Amino acid sequence: MSAFPVLAVTSGEPAGIGPDICLDLPAAELPCRCVVLGDIQLLKARAQALGKAVQIIEYRPDYTPAQDELEVLHVPLAAPCEAGQLNTANAAYVLQLLDRAYEGIEAGEFAAMVTAPLHKGIINDAGVPFSGHTEYLAEKSGTGQVAMMLAGGGLRVALVTTHLPLKDVSAAIDRPLVESVARILAQELRRKFGIARPNILVTGLNPHAGEGGHLGMEEIEVITPAIENLRAEGMDIHGPYPADTLFQPFMLKGADAVLAMYHDQGLPVLKYASFGKGVNITLGLPFVRTSVDHGTALTLAGSGKADSGSLIVAVDTALAMAQHSQNAV
């Protein structure tokens, strides 16, 4: 058996670019063994259509693959798939990929999980309530609170709230939530990134971090008390800072991560700095899970124009995190 760590890579929505970018894994020459979970005939057909000279073989745990071989743990499609054309019949297939990867994690077969993008809408259209990878894996593993962090371009940005309408964000942010997410962030930076004492900067919610209460009271009533309590626990955490000025080199110098209050407050800056090379990381799970920083890109599927850069970074990041986690035990 290969001495390299074995990582599960789910190929995601079959009509999207997930299968396309997975085909680039052998050429990346990563120091691990990537096992792609997906329909092997779909991957072979997509490789042929794209003219990619990759040797696709069925995964065998006791086999050591050659450098140009792509190992596929075959999970059959429920219905034929055409690039760019969503089909609710294949929604269950996408979830089966996650289920099989999780089973492999639980059994010690895989050291980490990397996920290509899926399409939340088509899963919900199929009648399966689904809000995302993060929530699905948290429920499956019996994990309580988890947190979302994106990394890239020299930045790490975690979020207090994730996929909420903007009108609901303020009501969702309370002191227990801010403290819980901050603790998860600090713990995971220690355990999975090897940072002994993480330095965390926190944004405010409102413009100018509330302008002393003139532009909102969340900073005074929720965020500042949470930070003070965390500092009293010994955490190296500071803020709240106005989000429009925090993301500057002189402010970020020495910081290990930023904790932002909502999705479109923290992520536009990070994606501007690293789009196509960033990685989405779920913090708080009992295993390592990373993902790409983009969606299914249906219009690019099967075109040969999809960029696999984010997937390669996601695998590389998952490998490093898994190794830090092993050393931390």
Side-chain angles (χ1 to χ4, degrees), residues 206 209-214 216-226 240:
N206 298 295
E211 195 80 67
H214 295 288
M217 295 297 293
E218 288 87 353
E219 287 77 12
I220 293 172
E221 295 177 350
V222 175
I223 302 172
T224 296

Side-chain angles (χ1 to χ4, degrees), residues 162-185:
T162 53
H163 300 112
L164 286 179
L166 190 58
K167 67 181 179 62
D168 297 335
V169 168
S170 177
I173 294 173
D174 58 23
R175 181 171 164 178
L177 179 63
V178 174
E179 293 182 7
S180 174
V181 173
R183 290 188 187 106
I184 291 170
L185 174 57

Side-chain angles (χ1 to χ4, degrees), residues 13 47-48 72 120 126 239 280-281 289 296-297 329:
E13 167 54 50
Q48 183 175 11
V72 177
K120 299 184 193 69
N280 187 335
I281 302 162
R289 179 259 168 171
T296 53
V329 173

Side-chain angles (χ1 to χ4, degrees), residues 35-234:
V35 176
V36 173
L37 280 67
D39 187 291
I40 195 166
Q41 297 306 323
L42 167 71
L43 287 154
K44 287 181 176 180
R46 197 69 65 89
Q48 183 175 11
L50 295 172
K52 295 195 174 185
V54 54
Q55 300 298 313
I56 298 175
I57 62 170
E58 193 145 3
Y59 163 67
R60 301 199 310 270
D62 59 350
Y63 176 72
T64 301
Q67 187 62 57
D68 64 343
E69 290 179 329
L70 179 70
E71 294 185 274
V72 177
L73 195 165
H74 178 57
V75 178
L77 283 165
C81 175
E82 182 178 344
Q85 302 298 314
L86 294 170
N87 186 346
T88 55
N90 282 321
Y93 157 83
V94 175
L95 298 181
Q96 286 168 12
L97 302 180
L98 294 177
D99 293 344
R100 178 61 182 87
Y102 177 72
E103 290 167 9
I105 292 277
E106 283 283 276
E109 181 182 12
F110 304 128
M113 182 190 306
V114 181
T115 58
L118 51 69
H119 195 287
K120 299 184 193 69
I122 202 69
I123 297 173
N124 282 282
D125 288 346
V128 181
F130 183 84
S131 55
H133 280 110
T134 300
E135 295 81 3
Y136 186 82
L137 293 171
E139 182 176 354
K140 195 162 191 66
S141 61
T143 307
Q145 180 73 43
V146 293
M148 175 179 173
M149 181 176 81
L150 267 75
L155 298 171
R156 297 187 189 97
V157 180
L159 304 175
V160 173
T161 63
T162 53
H163 300 112
L164 286 179
L166 190 58
K167 67 181 179 62
D168 297 335
V169 168
S170 177
I173 294 173
D174 58 23
R175 181 171 164 178
L177 179 63
V178 174
E179 293 182 7
S180 174
V181 173
R183 290 188 187 106
I184 291 170
L185 174 57
Q187 173 184 294
E188 296 285 74
L189 289 173
R190 288 192 297 269
R191 188 161 64 95
K192 294 177 181 173
F193 289 84
I195 301 170
R197 182 170 165 76
N199 180 8
I200 298 168
L201 307 183
V202 182
T203 68
L205 172 65
N206 298 295
H208 303 178
E211 195 80 67
H214 295 288
L215 295 177
M217 295 297 293
E218 288 87 353
E219 287 77 12
I220 293 172
E221 295 177 350
V222 175
I223 302 172
T224 296
I227 292 171
E228 289 175 347
N229 191 47
L230 294 165
R231 286 176 64 83
E233 293 176 5

